[in-house]
Amino acid sequence: MSDLIQPKVLKGFRDFLPAAEIQRDVLQEKITQVYRSFGFVPIDTPVLEYTEILLRKSNGETEKQVFRFQDNGGRDVAMRFDLTVPFARFTAEHFSELYLPFKRYHIAKVWRGEKPQAGRYREFVQCDVDTVGSDSAAADFEILNVMKCALNAIDVSNITIHVNHRGIFNRFLNKLGVLDKSEDILRSVDKLAKVGQEVVVKELVEFTGDESKASEILKYISASGSFLEILSTLETMAGGPGEDTQRMKDIYAMMEAAGIESTYVLDPSITRGLDYYTGVIYETFLNDLPSIGSVCSGGRYDNLAGLYMKEKVPGVGMSIGLDRLIAGLEQLGKSEKKGSFLQVEIFCQNAAHMMAYQKVAAGLRAKGISVEVFPEPKKMNQQYNVTEAKNVPWGVLINDEDVKNNTLSLKKLETREMFNSLTIDEAVAIINK
């Protein structure tokens, strides 16, 4: 009997070959640059947290999805299911070391034991930014702005960001006399796009015990018109002006001032299932593929850090679901993959010239060109095949005459155009051009 173990990965988990991992790295680098340009700084937190830390402020659905177990010391631990709750713990634990407002970004893997499907996996990357220590419309707007800028930086511009405010909805529910059922109602409304209106209405009747109240809730979440028209409708249904509706007016005024208001819509059906959100909330959809769901979401969570400390620290943030976004781009045929970061391959035609190859490679790297030397004199068609698999655009050939003259021949591999007897500086100029 064979002792070999069958190589396989768990359901909902994946290996990434170079082309896929390069794509993810490039996107993360571009997103990181945008986050930094807004003044956000990086932190990191452990993969494992005490279960009571992660689940103290969550609903039953979240508890079903976490990977939870006892470690060797008998401690009840779980793998983080998002980066926001660990950040709340981080804020409480390091509060005396932080300046406020504190703006952090965190790009890392999280784990959820949900059913795998298109664009949804059990292990995936989130790209988060959060601001704590400021309860202002400016902080809310900045997160909404950085969402748009980060997605635009990775050539995702045909998007619509749906915005809502939990506070207005809660005032409305209080007016209806069903605020005590808000968590159930929020989670039901949050499923509207997935399960349909009929199922949601049935659940709302069950939660409120009143068909007319269920009908009013449906009317509220179905309000239509321009951003300000919908806001006016919600304001009336919630009982009049309040801090929450003024906050939305201020945010929209900043959108107009920045000239980006066309990207955002006020959508009262957006509630966000997690119950730690307290104010403005948002979800982002690809206009060409809305069926894949939100690729970027978040909101204000003023009470979350208060679970771990006495001081109330306001917070607002968002997260880009990188893997779901990539899945959407692949479906739209907008996903670009390459096999390496190389610009140049120096072909090995003669092992005796290896020192010359390495000298040229060092010279090119000194000029900022990414380059490798093929390590052995295999047949040229084999070397070309490997280079093509890596998507390397340029090849360098060095013959006996080049070795004598400290020159090289540059070949554009896609068109086979040749540039002979070049110095390193001349080759760099052609590559960069």
Side-chain angles (χ1 to χ4, degrees), residues 20-56:
E21 188 61 16
I22 286 170
Q23 180 188 33
R24 296 206 312 168
D25 280 359
V26 169
L27 294 180
Q28 287 180 51
E29 288 168 7
K30 291 179 179 179
I31 291 169
T32 297
Q33 288 302 316
V34 172
Y35 290 175
R36 290 174 178 173
S37 75
F38 277 79
F40 293 89
V41 294
I43 67 162
D44 197 11
T45 62
V47 169
L48 288 179
E49 298 270 5
Y50 286 104
T51 300
E52 66 176 357
I53 295 290
L54 293 182
L55 296 183
R56 188 176 169 190

Coordinates of all heavy atoms in Angstrom, one line a residue, residues 20-56:
A20 N -2.0 34.5 -10.2 CA -3.0 34.9 -9.3 C -2.5 35.7 -8.1 O -3.1 36.7 -7.7 CB -3.9 33.8 -8.8
E21 N -1.4 35.3 -7.5 CA -0.8 35.9 -6.4 C -0.2 37.3 -6.7 O -0.3 38.2 -6.0 CB 0.2 35.0 -5.7 CG 0.7 35.6 -4.3 CD -0.4 35.7 -3.3 OE1 -1.5 35.2 -3.5 OE2 -0.2 36.5 -2.3
I22 N 0.4 37.3 -7.9 CA 0.9 38.6 -8.4 C -0.2 39.6 -8.6 O -0.1 40.8 -8.2 CB 1.7 38.4 -9.7 CG1 3.0 37.7 -9.5 CG2 1.9 39.8 -10.4 CD1 3.7 37.3 -10.7
Q23 N -1.3 39.2 -9.1 CA -2.4 40.1 -9.3 C -2.9 40.6 -7.9 O -3.1 41.8 -7.8 CB -3.6 39.3 -10.0 CG -4.8 40.2 -10.2 CD -6.0 39.4 -10.6 OE1 -6.2 38.3 -10.3 NE2 -6.9 40.1 -11.4
R24 N -3.0 39.8 -6.9 CA -3.4 40.2 -5.6 C -2.4 41.2 -5.0 O -2.8 42.2 -4.4 CB -3.6 39.0 -4.7 CG -4.7 38.1 -5.1 CD -5.4 37.3 -4.0 NE -4.4 36.7 -3.1 CZ -4.7 36.1 -1.9 NH1 -6.0 36.1 -1.5 NH2 -3.8 35.5 -1.2
D25 N -1.1 40.8 -5.2 CA -0.1 41.7 -4.6 C -0.1 43.1 -5.2 O 0.0 44.1 -4.5 CB 1.3 41.1 -4.8 CG 1.6 40.0 -3.9 OD1 0.8 39.7 -3.0 OD2 2.7 39.4 -4.0
V26 N -0.3 43.1 -6.6 CA -0.3 44.4 -7.3 C -1.5 45.3 -6.8 O -1.4 46.5 -6.5 CB -0.3 44.2 -8.8 CG1 -0.6 45.5 -9.5 CG2 1.0 43.7 -9.3
L27 N -2.7 44.6 -6.7 CA -3.9 45.4 -6.3 C -3.7 45.9 -4.8 O -4.0 47.0 -4.5 CB -5.1 44.5 -6.3 CG -5.5 44.0 -7.8 CD1 -6.8 43.2 -7.7 CD2 -5.8 45.2 -8.6
Q28 N -3.1 45.0 -3.9 CA -2.9 45.4 -2.6 C -1.9 46.6 -2.5 O -2.1 47.5 -1.7 CB -2.4 44.3 -1.7 CG -3.4 43.2 -1.4 CD -2.9 42.1 -0.6 OE1 -2.2 42.3 0.4 NE2 -3.1 40.8 -1.0
E29 N -0.9 46.6 -3.3 CA 0.1 47.7 -3.3 C -0.6 49.0 -3.7 O -0.4 50.1 -3.1 CB 1.2 47.3 -4.2 CG 2.2 46.3 -3.7 CD 3.1 45.7 -4.7 OE1 3.2 46.3 -5.8 OE2 3.8 44.8 -4.4
K30 N -1.4 48.9 -4.8 CA -2.1 50.2 -5.2 C -3.1 50.7 -4.2 O -3.2 51.9 -3.9 CB -2.9 49.9 -6.5 CG -1.9 49.6 -7.7 CD -2.7 49.4 -9.0 CE -1.8 49.1 -10.2 NZ -2.5 48.8 -11.4
I31 N -3.8 49.8 -3.5 CA -4.8 50.2 -2.5 C -4.0 50.8 -1.3 O -4.4 51.8 -0.7 CB -5.6 48.9 -2.0 CG1 -6.6 48.5 -3.2 CG2 -6.4 49.3 -0.8 CD1 -7.3 47.2 -2.9
T32 N -2.9 50.1 -0.9 CA -2.1 50.6 0.2 C -1.6 52.0 -0.1 O -1.6 52.9 0.8 CB -0.9 49.7 0.4 OG1 -1.3 48.4 0.8 CG2 0.0 50.2 1.5
Q33 N -1.2 52.3 -1.3 CA -0.7 53.7 -1.6 C -1.8 54.7 -1.4 O -1.6 55.8 -1.0 CB -0.2 53.7 -3.1 CG 1.1 53.0 -3.2 CD 2.2 53.6 -2.3 OE1 2.4 54.8 -2.2 NE2 3.0 52.7 -1.7
V34 N -3.1 54.4 -1.8 CA -4.2 55.3 -1.6 C -4.4 55.5 -0.1 O -4.6 56.6 0.4 CB -5.4 54.8 -2.3 CG1 -6.6 55.7 -1.9 CG2 -5.3 54.8 -3.8
Y35 N -4.5 54.4 0.7 CA -4.7 54.5 2.1 C -3.6 55.5 2.7 O -3.9 56.3 3.5 CB -4.6 53.2 2.8 CG -5.8 52.2 2.5 CD1 -5.8 50.9 2.9 CD2 -6.9 52.7 1.7 CE1 -6.8 50.1 2.6 CE2 -7.9 51.8 1.4 CZ -7.9 50.5 1.9 OH -8.9 49.7 1.6
R36 N -2.4 55.3 2.3 CA -1.3 56.1 2.9 C -1.4 57.6 2.5 O -1.1 58.5 3.3 CB 0.1 55.6 2.4 CG 0.5 54.2 3.0 CD 1.7 53.7 2.4 NE 2.1 52.4 3.0 CZ 3.1 51.7 2.6 NH1 3.8 52.1 1.5 NH2 3.4 50.5 3.2
S37 N -2.0 57.8 1.3 CA -2.1 59.2 0.8 C -3.1 59.9 1.6 O -3.1 61.2 1.6 CB -2.5 59.2 -0.7 OG -3.8 58.8 -0.9
F38 N -4.0 59.2 2.3 CA -5.0 59.9 3.1 C -4.5 60.0 4.6 O -5.3 60.5 5.4 CB -6.3 59.1 3.1 CG -7.2 59.5 1.9 CD1 -7.0 58.9 0.7 CD2 -8.3 60.3 2.0 CE1 -7.8 59.2 -0.4 CE2 -9.1 60.6 1.0 CZ -8.9 60.1 -0.3
G39 N -3.3 59.5 4.9 CA -2.8 59.6 6.2 C -3.0 58.4 7.1 O -2.7 58.5 8.3
F40 N -3.5 57.3 6.6 CA -3.7 56.1 7.4 C -2.3 55.4 7.6 O -1.5 55.3 6.6 CB -4.7 55.2 6.7 CG -6.1 55.7 6.7 CD1 -6.5 56.5 5.6 CD2 -7.0 55.5 7.7 CE1 -7.8 57.1 5.6 CE2 -8.3 56.1 7.7 CZ -8.7 56.8 6.7
V41 N -2.1 54.8 8.7 CA -0.9 54.1 9.0 C -1.2 52.6 9.3 O -2.3 52.2 9.8 CB -0.2 54.7 10.3 CG1 0.3 56.1 9.9 CG2 -1.1 54.7 11.5
P42 N -0.2 51.7 9.1 CA -0.5 50.2 9.2 C -0.4 49.7 10.7 O 0.4 50.3 11.5 CB 0.6 49.6 8.4 CG 1.8 50.6 8.5 CD 1.1 51.9 8.5
I43 N -1.2 48.7 11.0 CA -1.0 48.0 12.2 C -1.2 46.5 11.8 O -1.6 46.2 10.7 CB -2.1 48.3 13.3 CG1 -3.5 47.9 12.8 CG2 -2.0 49.8 13.6 CD1 -4.5 47.9 14.0
D44 N -1.0 45.6 12.8 CA -1.3 44.2 12.6 C -1.8 43.6 13.9 O -1.5 44.2 15.0 CB -0.1 43.4 12.1 CG -0.4 42.0 11.5 OD1 -1.6 41.8 11.3 OD2 0.5 41.2 11.3
T45 N -2.6 42.6 13.9 CA -3.2 41.9 15.1 C -3.1 40.4 14.9 O -3.0 40.0 13.7 CB -4.7 42.3 15.3 OG1 -5.5 41.9 14.2 CG2 -4.8 43.8 15.5
P46 N -3.2 39.6 15.9 CA -3.1 38.2 15.8 C -4.2 37.6 15.0 O -5.4 38.1 15.0 CB -3.1 37.7 17.2 CG -2.7 38.9 18.1 CD -3.2 40.1 17.4
V47 N -4.0 36.4 14.4 CA -5.0 35.7 13.7 C -6.0 35.1 14.8 O -7.2 35.1 14.6 CB -4.4 34.5 12.9 CG1 -5.5 33.5 12.5 CG2 -3.6 35.0 11.8
L48 N -5.5 34.6 15.9 CA -6.3 34.1 16.9 C -6.6 35.1 18.0 O -5.7 35.9 18.4 CB -5.6 32.9 17.6 CG -5.5 31.6 16.8 CD1 -4.7 30.5 17.6 CD2 -6.9 31.1 16.4
E49 N -7.8 35.1 18.5 CA -8.3 36.0 19.6 C -9.1 35.1 20.5 O -9.6 34.1 20.2 CB -9.2 37.1 19.1 CG -8.5 38.1 18.1 CD -7.8 39.3 18.8 OE1 -7.8 39.3 20.0 OE2 -7.4 40.2 18.1
Y50 N -9.2 35.6 21.8 CA -10.1 34.9 22.7 C -11.5 35.0 22.1 O -11.9 36.1 21.6 CB -10.1 35.6 24.1 CG -8.8 35.2 24.9 CD1 -7.8 36.1 25.0 CD2 -8.7 34.0 25.5 CE1 -6.7 35.8 25.8 CE2 -7.6 33.6 26.3 CZ -6.6 34.6 26.4 OH -5.4 34.3 27.1
T51 N -12.2 33.9 22.2 CA -13.6 33.9 21.6 C -14.5 35.0 22.2 O -15.3 35.6 21.5 CB -14.2 32.5 21.8 OG1 -13.4 31.5 21.2 CG2 -15.6 32.5 21.2
E52 N -14.4 35.3 23.5 CA -15.2 36.3 24.1 C -14.9 37.7 23.5 O -15.8 38.5 23.4 CB -15.0 36.3 25.6 CG -13.6 36.7 26.0 CD -13.5 36.9 27.5 OE1 -14.5 36.6 28.2 OE2 -12.4 37.2 28.0
I53 N -13.7 37.9 23.0 CA -13.3 39.2 22.4 C -14.1 39.3 21.1 O -14.7 40.3 20.7 CB -11.8 39.2 22.1 CG1 -11.1 39.3 23.4 CG2 -11.5 40.4 21.3 CD1 -11.2 40.5 24.2
L54 N -14.1 38.2 20.2 CA -14.7 38.3 18.9 C -16.2 38.3 18.9 O -16.8 38.9 18.1 CB -14.1 37.1 18.0 CG -12.6 37.1 17.7 CD1 -12.3 36.0 16.8 CD2 -12.3 38.5 17.0
L55 N -16.8 37.5 19.9 CA -18.2 37.3 19.8 C -19.1 38.0 20.8 O -20.3 37.8 20.8 CB -18.5 35.8 19.9 CG -17.9 34.9 18.8 CD1 -18.3 33.4 19.1 CD2 -18.4 35.3 17.5
R56 N -18.4 38.9 21.6 CA -19.2 39.6 22.6 C -20.3 40.5 22.0 O -21.4 40.6 22.5 CB -18.3 40.4 23.5 CG -19.0 41.0 24.7 CD -18.1 41.7 25.6 NE -18.8 42.5 26.6 CZ -18.3 43.4 27.4 NH1 -17.0 43.6 27.4 NH2 -19.1 44.0 28.3

